[in-house]
Amino acid sequence: MTGHQRRRGDAGRERGPRGAVLGNRPARSVRLPLRARSGPREVTTAAAEWTVPWLRVAAAYAWRLILVGFTVYGLFTVLGRFQLVAVALFVACVLTAVLRPIADLLSRVLPRPLSVAVALIGSALVVLGLFALVGNAVAGESAKLAGEFRGGIHRIEEWLQHPPFRLGRGRLADLQRQVMNYLSTHRGSLLSRAVSGLGRVIEVVTGIALALFSSVFFIHSGERLWAWARDQLLPSRARDGWDLAGRAAWHTFAGYTRGIIIVAATNAVLVCAALLLLRVPLALPLALLEFFAAFVPLVGSPVALGVATVVALAGRGPVTAAAVLVLIVVIGQLEGHVLHPLVMSWAVRLHPLAVAVSVIAGGIVAGVIGAVVAVPLVSVVWAVLRALRATPPP
């Protein structure tokens, strides 16, 4: 067939839409007009963007917060299983933050192992000497204190009989009888709790031994331990970020620990001086209680001074107790507006509301230990976030 005949045959065939020749192989796909293909999707996307943008943002934050919550819950669950080890390591970090500068200063004239031993043994002797002084003071005044407290309890009973309480002698006698009946009825359970308390004492001794053992290595070569963990456990691309976060965390934790010790010591000295001037019994033990209670910010000092108020009421009467209440207000204002901003502002930058919420949440989760650990933990997390946020991405 010639080319002229082929052209005549092709021209005789009917052509469909868009020039397709009928009778040939069907087209593989039918292309729809642009308006028909893209119209519904564009309308749907525009509707989603303009009607519920807050829902997409809330959902994005929600699943991330849920993931973070599960992670934090899992972390605290693991720490709860190993509470003794976690508390011992926390105490070791506290000892390291306090004694590391002393060991560094002594290492200028002494070998490093000897400087660490002198710092640890010297601090242990100071603490034991302080407890011995307090115990000697209590033992030397035990007979006098017993008489003062008996008279103080009698004065409290008389005070309760007057307005606004108006409790009669019979009511107070019934209350004492109920207390004695409770003690006699639950004697077995109280004894079992005391026996279980001996097990807690063994755990405390074990935790102290582990804390001292760990603090020796932390003080002696803490930086080398951190460098080894960073280089051996982390990929090379993540080492710089983790190193920055770790150094920021330690700087904040050490600053918080030294600052809170300065604040607690200042509070204890002021309380001891005031109680001695007011001639309140057990001034030294109450000052020591104030020192340890100050490690729980915003809550510990008022509780310790509340105990001092009860002791002052029993030993010296309501006028001295009122003076101790005034002391609570004065020391609280001094701690909140002078000591904390002056001593700890360079290390910890947390709002008082964040501190209060952290203390209460820590107390709910883990009791007294949680209340003590909560603020430094939140401070460390906030310092790490600020350090990583200030670092430009690679």
Side-chain angles (χ1 to χ4, degrees), residues 56-318:
R56 294 198 315 276
V57 174
Y61 275 104
W63 73 263
R64 289 176 173 85
L65 290 175
I66 290 173
L67 181 61
V68 172
F70 274 114
T71 304
V72 173
Y73 177 78
L75 178 62
F76 276 98
T77 302
V78 173
L79 291 177
R81 295 288 184 179
F82 300 95
Q83 182 178 5
L84 180 62
V85 178
V87 172
L89 293 178
F90 176 79
V91 174
C93 291
V94 171
L95 294 177
T96 304
V98 176
L99 300 180
R100 179 66 183 268
I102 301 175
D104 292 340
L105 184 63
L106 293 175
S107 62
R108 297 179 180 179
V109 295
L110 297 175
R112 186 68 181 180
L114 184 58
S115 63
V116 173
V118 170
L120 283 172
I121 295 174
S123 61
L125 291 177
V126 169
V127 172
L128 291 177
L130 183 61
F131 279 106
L133 178 63
V134 172
N136 189 22
V138 174
E141 299 181 0
S142 58
K144 180 181 178 181
L145 290 174
E148 287 184 353
F149 273 95
R150 282 195 295 268
I153 292 174
H154 179 68
R155 285 195 298 270
I156 292 174
E157 291 179 351
E158 291 182 349
W159 179 54
L160 292 176
Q161 293 174 8
H162 294 83
F165 298 100
R166 298 184 181 276
L167 296 178
R169 293 183 179 272
R171 184 71 177 274
L172 294 175
D174 291 339
L175 181 60
Q176 293 179 358
R177 193 179 304 109
Q178 290 176 5
V179 172
M180 297 303 297
N181 290 334
Y182 177 83
L183 293 177
S184 61
T185 305
H186 299 81
R187 185 181 303 172
S189 61
L190 294 175
L191 182 61
S192 63
R193 291 181 182 178
V195 173
S196 63
L198 294 177
R200 298 293 296 179
V201 170
I202 296 175
E203 291 183 0
V204 169
V205 173
T206 305
I208 292 174
L210 179 59
L212 292 175
F213 183 75
S214 303
S215 62
V216 171
F217 295 97
F218 291 167
I219 297 173
H220 181 269
S221 55
E223 292 184 354
R224 282 186 288 174
L225 290 174
W226 170 251
W228 177 87
R230 179 196 62 202
D231 297 337
Q232 298 295 325
L233 302 178
L234 298 174
S236 58
R237 298 177 61 182
R239 290 173 187 171
D240 293 338
W242 278 91
D243 186 68
L244 178 64
R247 293 183 183 278
W250 176 249
H251 176 77
T252 301
F253 180 82
Y256 175 85
T257 303
R258 296 163 191 163
I260 199 66
I261 288 177
I262 294 173
V263 172
T266 305
N267 286 352
V269 171
L270 293 176
V271 168
C272 184
L275 295 180
L276 288 176
L277 289 175
L278 295 172
R279 294 186 297 173
V280 175
L282 302 175
L284 287 178
L286 291 173
L288 188 63
L289 177 63
E290 167 64 23
F291 175 79
F292 287 109
F295 283 88
V296 183
L298 302 179
V299 178
S301 294
V303 171
L305 291 177
V307 176
T309 303
V310 175
V311 174
L313 180 63
R316 302 294 300 171

Side-chain angles (χ1 to χ4, degrees), residues 305-352:
L305 291 177
V307 176
T309 303
V310 175
V311 174
L313 180 63
R316 302 294 300 171
V319 176
T320 306
V324 176
L325 285 176
V326 174
L327 179 66
I328 293 177
V329 178
V330 172
I331 290 183
Q333 295 296 318
L334 181 65
E335 179 183 355
H337 294 86
V338 178
L339 293 178
H340 273 282
L342 183 64
V343 175
M344 303 183 65
S345 60
W346 60 275
V348 180
R349 296 178 178 88
L350 291 178
H351 194 274

